[in-house]
Amino acid sequence: MLTPDTKPDLLDRLFSDLDLSTGAVAAVSGGSDSTALLLLLKDHLDRTAPAARLLAVTVDHGLRPDSASEARLVQRFCVERGIAHRILSWRGDKPTTGLPAAAREARYRLLAEAADAEGIKLILTGHTADDQAETVLMRQARDDDGRGLAGMAPATLHDWRTWIVRPLLGTRRAVLREILRARDISWIEDPTNIDIRFERPRVRAKLGQGDGERRIAEALARSEQAALERLDIGRRAATLIDAFADRPVPGLIRLDRGFAAHQDGEAALYALRILLAAVGGMSFLADEARCVALLSRLRSAPLCATLSRTVVDARRTGIFLRRENRNLPAALPPSNNQLWDNRRRITLKDGPGGLVIAPLGSAAARQASVSEDVPQSVARAALAAEPALWRGAERLDFTGGDTGPQAISMVPVVAPFARFLPSFDLAPAVAVAALVGAPLPPAPPFHGHDGERGWAKA
């Protein structure tokens, strides 16, 4: 067990590799983990970068009667220590199902908005090794396909622009509480953490009994091994995407026939799952078992199949992937930072002015000029499902770029990672971004990254 006397070593281990040049937003609920994070981070900045900006943010989810008063307690705590603080509230109707996931999404959105408003590129959260073990055990209970057993990533890119870092993932909660007690600092106990109506508190309660310490140690070891495996297969999948895939027209991915028969079948399967999700605009990778069967069929014969909203059209000239022409978004006015069909990010630089975004459609696609080295019917079917900007029946712009006077852009995104990109998956995300014409993600906020696929150091 660490003692307060070892705190300088703990600070070096937690924060020395982080690029804090733009400052940091610390997510602080008032619980022991986030309170310790805030104090340790302030100690580190006072010692190494006293001019760096530190902003503590408390998100009031409005789910408990005491949440507002608890947020004010955190604010008072920060004021007493000269730490800038903001309280942000999750407003609007709350879902009756999936509440923890919805609260998490709202929390990260509000934190990212606060960071963006201050020009800060980094958010720190207080997730601990105990949280990591709980996450792994929950995913294991759901028969996770293996990727999820890596647990929470040390860093996650939110909305393709703001890094969320979890520096305490290697630190036990008991260590943090020991440090707080040594400084005579109390913390808020959230009753939700022991509410067994929710999955995590149920797992946490079981880990507090009997062989809980052994189970935690096993879960953390499993997480570490799964993370290494996920990094490795991601790099191998990225190599295959670079080598075998190209984009003949917007919305159409062509794989060389040799992709399906590649000797690294595990990486080919992983790459296929990612590509199907990206083309279909899906937030989750394509089903593994169905992709195993699909990849087997692709090795032996031509076929046309649909999986994850993606049409897979295997021909002599290549394996073509395109968004199916069903369940496309209805015509709607553009809104800023909107994800259209989860495949394009809409950015407004001016008001929509009566404009709408709608699929190009087959009639307009038939008039488009397409490459002669791909089947014309395949290329035009892909173009028909791509977004276009319209005013009434008049088409103003097609498939991305700035629209001149309207100042609206429709930029490709990497669908399964558009909202959350774990650092485990950085290599394949970069490969797909280059393939579909999406901007590359910002480099992780760690000193010494090499700017290449080795970014996955995070």
Side-chain angles (χ1 to χ4, degrees), residues 168-445:
L168 304 182
L169 279 184
T171 306
R172 293 295 302 274
R173 178 171 295 120
V175 172
L176 301 174
R177 292 187 169 185
E178 182 181 350
I179 291 173
L180 293 179
R181 290 189 187 102
R183 296 173 66 163
D184 196 25
I185 293 173
S186 61
W187 57 86
I188 297 168
E189 293 286 5
D190 183 349
T192 305
N193 290 332
I194 57 173
D195 187 343
I196 60 172
R197 291 178 300 170
F198 300 108
E199 181 183 20
R200 186 175 293 273
R202 290 198 298 271
V203 172
R204 185 169 298 173
K206 288 182 180 178
L207 290 176
Q209 304 169 359
D211 63 348
E213 286 299 312
R214 178 187 62 79
R215 295 183 64 204
I216 289 173
E218 290 176 349
L220 293 175
R222 188 178 302 115
S223 170
E224 184 175 357
Q225 181 60 37
L228 292 174
E229 293 171 356
R230 186 160 160 182
L231 285 166
D232 178 63
I233 194 172
R235 292 184 182 117
R236 288 152 47 204
T239 298
L240 294 186
I241 291 169
D242 287 341
F244 288 96
D246 70 315
R247 183 181 61 136
V249 298
L252 182 65
I253 300 301
R254 172 174 55 191
L255 293 169
D256 185 273
R257 292 289 310 184
F259 171 84
H262 194 273
Q263 61 184 3
D264 190 351
E266 185 182 33
L269 174 64
Y270 194 48
L272 180 62
R273 295 180 66 198
I274 293 171
L275 288 171
L276 288 172
V279 173
M282 301 296 289
S283 298
F284 300 98
L285 302 193
D287 179 76
E288 183 174 17
R290 295 182 67 186
C291 283
V292 168
L294 175 61
L295 194 60
S296 176
R297 293 177 63 195
L298 288 172
R299 295 188 187 109
S300 58
L303 67 89
C304 188
T306 302
L307 181 58
S308 287
R309 303 199 312 184
T310 297
V311 175
V312 182
D313 192 342
R315 305 187 178 204
R316 180 182 55 81
T317 52
I319 301 167
F320 297 94
L321 310 179
R322 63 175 175 84
R323 170 72 162 92
E324 67 173 331
N325 283 288
R326 292 193 309 156
N327 301 317
L328 290 164
L332 288 172
S335 59
N336 198 42
N337 204 34
Q338 166 191 0
L339 285 180
W340 186 90
D341 200 38
N342 210 30
R343 295 185 292 134
R344 297 292 179 114
R345 189 179 302 278
I346 309 303
T347 303
L348 297 183
K349 302 172 187 175
D350 199 353
L355 305 177
V356 298
I357 299 177
L360 181 67
S362 56
R366 283 194 294 269
Q367 302 173 15
S369 176
V370 297
S371 172
E372 294 293 333
D373 68 342
V374 295
Q376 301 293 290
S377 60
V378 173
R380 292 197 165 103
L383 290 176
E386 290 296 282
L389 192 65
W390 303 82
R391 178 179 286 119
E394 178 188 8
R395 176 169 55 85
L396 303 178
D397 182 62
F398 169 53
T399 63
D402 288 335
T403 61
Q406 287 75 37
I408 297 174
S409 66
M410 298 184 285
V411 178
V413 301
V414 183
F417 308 123
R419 286 299 189 200
F420 295 98
L421 167 58
S423 53
F424 303 136
D425 303 315
L426 194 51
V430 168
V432 177
L435 177 64
V436 302
L440 295 181

